[in-house]
Amino acid sequence: DKGGYKHFMSKEIAEQPRVLTEVIGYYLSDDATRINLPENGFDFKTIDRLTMVACGTAFYACLTAKYWFEQIAGMPVEVDIASEFRYREPPITERTAALFVSQSGETADTLAALRYCEGKADSILSVVNVPTSSIARESNLALPIMAGPEIGVASTKAFTCQLTVLYLMALKAAHDKGRLSDTELADRLSELRSLPSAVNAALALDKSLAHAGLKLSEAQDVLFLGRGLMYPLALEGALKLKEISYIHAEAYASGELKHGPIALIDKSMPVVVKAPRDALFEKTVSNMQEVMARDGKVILITDAAGAAEAGDEAWITIVMPTAPAALTPILYAIPAQLLAYHTAVAKGTDVDQPRNLAKSVTVE
Ligand code: F6R
């Protein structure tokens, strides 16, 4: 049931404030100051390394989480694509936790990677949407994302719920290791609880993103740029766009621009730049200027402070609500989804059932 929406994808995008509220509520203690895990819980105190493995959008959630675990918990993190990891015979050192992220919990490569880690890693954790799935059952601890059934082939609400659970795990790791005090943890959790209302405000930008999508639908190729936490999100934005609109899209870390991809820039190349006004903003603005100096058309997705600083040179500027820096990957997923959605709608493609794709990839 599409509940009055034109597509499952738009319904699932719109559900995010509600499902995010649910997943946050599920992991928070009654007084909202501590994190509770299901079953017997888990303690990161004796874990020195984290290996995260997934495919597609779930892999981009892991890439984002690497920044969180490193910065907040000070933990070395390795992130890999399941199909590469499983055949590389990577050594798993002691005190390593292996963490698998999968919406369906049935992705063949991710499951094979999990089985490879059995008996090698200290513990096997998973972040899944389907609690009865193979990946959930074969983990020492399965962490549900509470997104509810996701019907649209392109993952939307599962991605933001995966990010939320991974952020909570990074906070828990930092707290377990004594890098976050009780008060700091409570403050972070209180920030997180206000995220769903910011997501709601981002959803209200639907009209401007529909306008941007209409313009993008005429492009042959689109480049996505991001720095820091916005880099994995640039990858996710490009994946979403190619999946449902069939427009060729690529993502680069902004700093890589001059190492090759800048050669692609001309007036027919839209460049989507996601950049909240954070510590890295000035560097991103200078990358943007390099693009504009070569007639590239920039779609800038930023907040009010960023928009004021960037001036009005961008082709299109989308002004997002503000959020604490650590939470921007979850918030900025919304315009990535809506931009891909509206571009696909403008092109008239089958948004919920894109060609050649299956919702669950249970064969290699
Ligand atoms: C993209 C998408 C895919 C999945 C990938 C992993 O929108 O949905 O890239 O993320 O196939 O699937 P799960 O999470 O079920 O393991």
Side-chain angles (χ1 to χ4, degrees), residues 214-222 247-248 268-270 347:
L214 192 62
K215 298 237 171 179
L216 264 198
S217 68
E218 287 158 26
Q220 293 245 306
D221 312 273
V222 179
I247 293 175
H248 170 232
S268 65
M269 177 66 98
K347 289 202 71 176

Side-chain angles (χ1 to χ4, degrees), residues 20-264:
L20 289 170
T21 305
E22 266 163 41
V23 70
I24 294 166
Y26 178 82
Y27 284 96
L28 258 51
S29 61
D30 288 342
D31 63 359
T33 61
R34 279 170 301 111
I35 297 167
N36 288 337
L37 299 189
E39 299 170 53
N40 299 322
F42 184 76
D43 199 321
F44 284 92
K45 210 174 284 154
T46 58
I47 300 297
D48 294 340
R49 275 195 98 76
L50 194 61
T51 291
M52 292 201 255
V53 183
C55 301
T57 288
F59 169 68
Y60 298 143
C62 295
L63 271 186
T64 309
K66 178 182 169 77
Y67 291 71
W68 286 329
F69 275 97
E70 287 180 355
Q71 285 173 355
I72 308 169
M75 281 176 78
V77 176
E78 187 205 8
V79 180
D80 213 337
I81 297 164
S83 57
E84 285 300 312
F85 180 88
R86 64 179 290 197
Y87 292 118
R88 221 178 47 233
E89 300 184 28
I92 309 287
T93 51
E94 268 175 58
R95 296 164 71 103
T96 294
L99 193 160
F100 302 86
V101 180
S102 175
Q103 187 284 128
S104 63
E106 301 295 347
T107 299
D109 282 322
T110 310
L111 182 57
L114 181 153
R115 288 178 177 156
Y116 171 83
C117 290
E118 268 169 10
K120 296 188 185 76
D122 174 281
S123 28
I124 307 237
L125 312 176
S126 61
V127 171
V128 289
N129 198 25
V130 183
T132 52
S133 62
S134 308
I135 288 175
R137 280 185 282 113
E138 296 192 27
S139 312
N140 301 122
L141 176 65
L143 301 160
I145 63 168
M146 316 295 288
E150 192 180 61
I151 312 288
V153 163
S155 187
T156 53
K157 61 176 181 171
F159 178 65
T160 48
C161 288
Q162 284 164 351
L163 286 175
T164 302
V165 173
L166 290 168
Y167 180 65
L168 285 165
M169 288 313 107
L171 293 182
K172 175 163 166 51
H175 186 252
D176 287 352
K177 288 175 170 296
R179 289 180 60 110
L180 270 190
S181 70
D182 290 351
T183 334
E184 285 166 333
L185 176 64
D187 289 348
R188 292 267 194 166
L189 294 177
S190 136
E191 282 176 358
L192 184 62
R193 285 168 68 221
S194 55
L195 180 70
S197 69
V199 167
N200 216 20
L203 288 170
L205 299 171
D206 188 64
K207 270 219 169 64
S208 339
L209 289 156
H211 165 77
L214 192 62
K215 298 237 171 179
L216 264 198
S217 68
E218 287 158 26
Q220 293 245 306
D221 312 273
V222 179
L223 202 59
F224 285 74
L225 296 179
R227 224 176 240 279
L229 284 165
M230 291 296 114
Y231 168 49
L233 202 52
L235 292 162
E236 168 62 5
L239 178 66
K240 216 95 294 177
L241 187 71
K242 59 191 137 187
E243 272 186 299
I244 59 170
S245 77
Y246 315 146
I247 293 175
H248 170 232
E250 284 198 70
Y252 284 92
S254 306
E256 279 289 291
L257 188 65
K258 44 168 85 68
H259 299 284
I262 198 164
L264 295 169

